[in-house]
Amino acid sequence: MRPTLKCLSIAVAAMAASPGLAQEQVAEAIGTGMGMVIGLTIAIVVGAIVGWLASLIVKGSGSGLLTDILIGIGGSILASFLFPAIGLTFGGSPIAAILSPLLGAIILLLVIKLVRR
């Protein structure tokens, strides 16, 4: 077989196999998208719980559900950067998974209260 015909037959074989490959890529993209939606939903739920708990601890800072969610998510982000930077770790227990963002949300609420004054 001449090299040109061999390349052409390889290209035809690759084109014939591409619909299956395309379906796999689409399925992977959908799976990634669903993972992001689930992760965002979990972040909102945990943010709401953490924000609500922080607003109970810091008296007089209850500002509604949306603000509690944003404070909880912001506190989680703050805790994920601040605590490792100062060398503070909480371990991998489920209690630590709530304690770290809760402390971050409390710090964020206290800073917001100071700024509002």
Side-chain angles (χ1 to χ4, degrees), residues 4-72:
T4 307
L5 288 177
K6 186 174 183 180
C7 291
L8 183 62
S9 65
I10 291 172
V12 169
M15 287 174 33
S18 66
L21 180 61
Q23 288 176 350
E24 288 177 19
Q25 291 172 346
V26 168
E28 184 177 325
I30 290 172
T32 301
M34 286 302 296
M36 288 177 16
V37 168
I38 291 170
L40 182 61
T41 304
I42 291 171
I44 290 171
V45 169
V46 170
I49 293 169
V50 167
W52 174 70
L53 286 173
S55 68
L56 288 178
I57 293 170
V58 178
K59 302 290 184 204
S61 60
S63 302
L65 179 64
L66 182 62
T67 305
D68 284 348
I69 291 172
L70 293 175
I71 293 293

